[in-house]
Amino acid sequence: MAKVSDLVILLVAGMAISLYIQVAEARAVKFDIKNQCGYTVWAGGLPGGGQQLTQGQTWTVNLAAGTQSARFWGRTGCSFDASGKGTCQTGDCGGQLSCTVSGAVPATLAEYTQSDQDYYDVSLVDGFNIPLSINPTNTQCTAPACKADVNAVCPAELKVTGGCKSACVAFQTDQYCCTGSYANSCPATNYSMIFKQQCPQAYSYAKDDTATFACPSGTDYSIVFCP
Ligand SMILES: *[C@@H]1O[C@H](CO)[C@@H](O)[C@H](O)[C@H]1NC(C)=O
């Protein structure tokens, strides 16, 4: 027969295991993606797919429990046929209305990761197309934004129609991409500083370490295009 002390050990172990499962199991999270631009934006989401948003429209993406990361971006100048095939001027995801692959560069990104808490950032690492913000429903948490029109100050060598490439995308060098001899130590460059100056809360290059924000688990988010 089991001793009382054995039963206590079993009970404590059982509680610890159930607590571990609760902590480890990723939560469902809701993202409301809203277009405040004065033009139509085709939102892209991985996961989520994509949706056309005319000015003022909102698309809700529910991340199922167990989803550990997500990215959202806006596409511009799209036209799709009735089956959802077509093309976009910026952010195109393999010619599909409903994205299953990342968008073409350059595109402003909203990135989200679920861990011990939520981590999120606005990224210009691949360049910029439209302004956006990430807004946690928990108002104690930072709502980072890139509100500036970076296209308006984009150097000619980075400019594309509707967007501004990062120097990494444009020149593909170790210095601008923080690869090779720059993998461990990668200072800002004249190009990344243009992005940083316009949008101080956003990642301006791969090793920009001042741009990730955290929020306790349990919050939902809205992402606003042209905040
Ligand atoms: C950035 O620096 C590079 C290398 O020194 C130079 O060729 C380029 O013109 C500079 N660009 C800007 C926008 O300052």
Side-chain angles (χ1 to χ4, degrees), residues 65-95:
T67 310
Q68 273 154 12
S69 66
R71 60 161 61 190
F72 299 98
W73 70 99
R75 294 170 286 172
T76 57
C78 305
S79 84
F80 292 105
D81 65 18
S83 72
K85 288 197 170 66
T87 182
C88 301
Q89 199 170 70
T90 67
D92 189 64
C93 60

Side-chain angles (χ1 to χ4, degrees), residues 10-222:
L10 278 175
L11 187 66
V12 169
M15 283 161 55
I17 288 166
S18 79
L19 183 68
Y20 173 77
I21 288 168
Q22 279 172 30
V23 168
E25 191 174 309
R27 284 178 44 256
V29 179
K30 183 166 78 104
F31 282 84
D32 281 331
I33 297 150
K34 184 172 189 188
N35 179 21
Q36 286 184 0
C37 301
Y39 46 85
T40 300
V41 173
W42 288 259
L46 291 178
Q51 182 153 313
Q52 177 177 332
L53 297 174
T54 58
Q55 184 176 7
Q57 279 188 323
T58 297
W59 174 42
T60 298
V61 175
N62 288 295
L63 299 190
T67 310
Q68 273 154 12
S69 66
R71 60 161 61 190
F72 299 98
W73 70 99
R75 294 170 286 172
T76 57
C78 305
S79 84
F80 292 105
D81 65 18
S83 72
K85 288 197 170 66
T87 182
C88 301
Q89 199 170 70
T90 67
D92 189 64
C93 60
Q96 303 287 340
L97 172 59
S98 184
C99 298
T100 56
V101 297
S102 297
V105 298
T108 317
L109 284 180
E111 301 181 303
Y112 167 83
T113 307
Q114 198 176 86
S115 180
D116 54 323
Q117 48 186 340
D118 289 353
Y119 297 93
Y120 51 96
D121 63 79
V122 177
S123 174
L124 306 177
V125 171
D126 291 335
F128 172 95
N129 64 341
I130 59 174
L132 66 76
S133 64
I134 305 175
N135 310 277
T137 54
N138 180 344
T139 54
Q140 307 283 301
C141 302
T142 304
C146 175
K147 294 186 185 181
D149 179 12
V150 178
N151 295 333
V153 298
C154 186
E157 58 273 33
L158 303 182
K159 211 170 234 172
V160 294
T161 306
C164 185
K165 291 190 277 193
S166 65
C168 172
V169 166
F171 306 121
Q172 314 235 325
T173 63
D174 287 342
Q175 183 191 6
Y176 293 131
C177 297
C178 301
T179 49
S181 58
Y182 287 85
N184 293 320
S185 172
C186 193
T189 65
N190 55 353
Y191 289 109
S192 74
M193 283 190 274
I194 297 172
F195 289 88
K196 199 71 188 171
Q197 194 169 26
Q198 295 297 309
C199 291
Q201 291 179 305
Y203 266 91
S204 61
Y205 72 108
K207 292 288 167 72
D208 183 346
D209 56 5
T210 59
T212 297
F213 298 91
C215 192
S217 299
T219 190
D220 289 323
Y221 295 86
S222 69

